[in-house]
Amino acid sequence: MKATLRTVRLALAEPLRISRSTMSARDAVWLTVEHDGLTGHGEAVSSVYYGLNTPVLERRLHEAGLELSRFGDPENALREWPAGDRPPAVNAAVEAALLDLCGKRSGVPVHRLLGARSARTARTPPSAPSARTARTIGIVPAERAAAQARSLADSGFTVIKVKAGAPDPEDDLARIRAIASAAPRARLLLDPNGAWTSAQALQLLPRYAELGVEAVEQPLAPGDPEALARLAERSPLPLIADEDAVTYEDVRRLAGRVHGVNVKLAKCGGPHAALRIAELIEGSGTELMLGCLTASTLGLAPAVHLADRARWADLDGHLLLADDPWSGIGGADGVVRASDRPGLGVRERQVGREDAA
């Protein structure tokens, strides 16, 4: 097998402000694996929070490409690929590229390779997974948030995720009130990205419950999952762990103690790692959210092929871009859909810089 890399800049349609930072663009490194005239693609994106800058991603994916060349075919590589000490985002990109290529070689979509949930009960081939995705509104003035929410509702979105963690908590509450008024039928999720103390959370959660918020992600700073679990016992709203639920072991410690975990392929290591986490929490009282980083359709597609397994889907990263260089999962109408085409079912719209791996 031959592997190549390509690095492109993904600009957001507008800066996204969260409690700890504001982002206007990030780099994506695309891994392409070729074998017998067919190609598979995967994507990893830079992340300050996860300590992944562009040179690190390029170097680690280059090393992964060299290791892939030692396998005779992508099927063996997919079965035997060692996780090693690579960043999870790199392993997720490798697995995505191999799944894409294996699907194309066998003529089946990735969701069938992964065993879509509907396949367990249906005798006919399972339909492609789809889900109503949340759409994120950042920390913006209430008037701007209301206009965004109204536009999203008019486009078909029924789930809106609102970032919180402004210096003045009343600003966050005003934003939620404005969004609830502008889109009264939308389900609302709240994400402070760890900005609150336990004392603040105990004061604020009942107020958000009164405003109709459905669930809150990672209200407390990561690093003390026991505090998050204790808060979940007292919370009037479901709490979803995100930054405190990175690895399988993280989730094992929180299973049954929080109401949900946000699984992102780039932080857990890929689709198969996500499936292991989904199996771990099944029946525990902790439910699955599928999340994402801001990335292209290529980066989002593997998670969309798992969308039928999640209670909450937050798969809007590609919708935040000014120009998505790939297509194939939709989402502009509030619903992301996996393709029934072989592999990931995505198509490239434009090219960037390419280097041999």
Side-chain angles (χ1 to χ4, degrees):
M1 289 188 296
K2 177 185 176 183
T4 56
L5 302 182
R6 189 185 307 166
T7 301
V8 300
R9 189 71 167 165
L10 301 177
L12 275 66
E14 61 179 76
L16 176 65
R17 180 187 170 196
I18 65 174
S19 61
R20 60 174 178 254
S21 63
T22 299
M23 181 179 62
S24 59
R26 72 185 343 151
D27 285 340
V29 183
W30 298 339
L31 171 69
T32 297
V33 181
E34 181 180 354
H35 185 70
D36 286 346
L38 294 174
T39 55
H41 307 281
E43 175 181 274
V45 295
S46 59
S47 169
V48 173
Y49 182 80
Y50 290 111
L52 294 175
N53 59 32
T54 306
V56 168
L57 280 179
E58 290 176 331
R59 176 173 59 83
R60 299 306 297 267
L61 282 165
H62 172 81
E63 294 167 352
L66 294 177
E67 290 189 50
L68 284 170
S69 67
R70 294 200 285 265
F71 289 91
D73 57 61
E75 290 79 12
N76 279 325
L78 188 60
R79 283 191 298 267
E80 300 175 16
W81 180 251
D85 63 349
R86 298 178 202 83
V90 170
N91 281 325
V94 170
E95 186 177 343
L98 291 174
L99 284 166
D100 190 28
L101 182 51
C102 289
K104 290 172 181 175
R105 279 166 57 85
S106 61
V108 301
V110 163
H111 64 86
R112 287 182 58 189
L113 292 180
L114 296 172
R117 171 170 285 182
S118 55
R120 302 176 191 174
T121 56
R123 295 184 180 181
T124 57
S127 57
S130 65
R132 291 197 168 275
T133 181
R135 178 68 157 77
T136 300
I137 293 179
I139 297 177
V140 296
E143 298 81 4
R144 173 64 178 155
Q148 290 178 333
R150 191 174 298 110
S151 176
L152 290 173
D154 289 345
S155 298
F157 285 87
T158 59
V159 187
I160 296 175
K161 175 173 166 176
V162 187
K163 293 293 185 177
D168 184 352
E170 294 299 327
D171 289 344
D172 294 332
L173 287 157
R175 189 178 315 109
I176 282 287
R177 290 191 195 97
I179 290 170
S181 177
R185 297 182 180 178
R187 297 161 53 201
L188 301 180
L189 305 176
L190 191 73
D191 185 7
N193 287 108
W196 298 345
T197 65
S198 293
Q200 286 176 316
L202 288 170
Q203 292 177 343
L204 290 170
L205 286 170
R207 298 180 70 182
Y208 282 110
E210 291 175 359
L211 292 173
V213 169
E214 179 176 317
V216 178
E217 269 187 76
Q218 195 67 43
L220 306 182
D224 191 353
E226 291 299 316
L228 186 63
R230 289 193 298 270
L231 179 62
E233 291 179 353
R234 303 175 63 184
S235 174
L237 287 172
L239 298 190
I240 303 169
D242 182 358
E243 288 89 343
D244 269 328
V246 177
T247 67
Y248 182 93
E249 286 303 310
D250 291 339
V251 176
R252 184 183 61 79
R253 286 189 287 268
L254 287 170
R257 306 178 67 201
V258 294
H259 305 91
V261 290
N262 186 342
V263 173
K264 299 172 183 172
L265 304 191
K267 72 176 183 178
C268 74
H272 283 101
L275 288 175
R276 288 193 292 272
I277 290 174
E279 292 172 0
L280 170 67
I281 63 175
E282 190 168 2
S284 70
T286 297
E287 298 190 83
L288 179 67
M289 169 184 270
L290 277 173
C292 65
L293 302 181
T294 303
S296 78
T297 280
L298 174 60
L300 272 287
V304 176
H305 281 270
L306 299 174
D308 58 346
R309 302 170 188 270
R311 173 177 174 180
W312 299 283
D314 180 25
L315 300 174
D316 68 336
H318 62 307
L319 301 175
L320 304 180
L321 301 180
D323 184 16
D324 186 353
W326 294 79
S327 66
I329 60 173
D333 61 350
V335 180
V336 288
R337 303 169 179 85
S339 173
D340 266 326
R341 294 191 296 270
L344 290 173
V346 299
R347 293 171 177 161
E348 186 181 351
R349 288 173 169 159
Q350 65 183 40
V351 298
R353 177 173 60 83
E354 184 171 329
D355 301 299

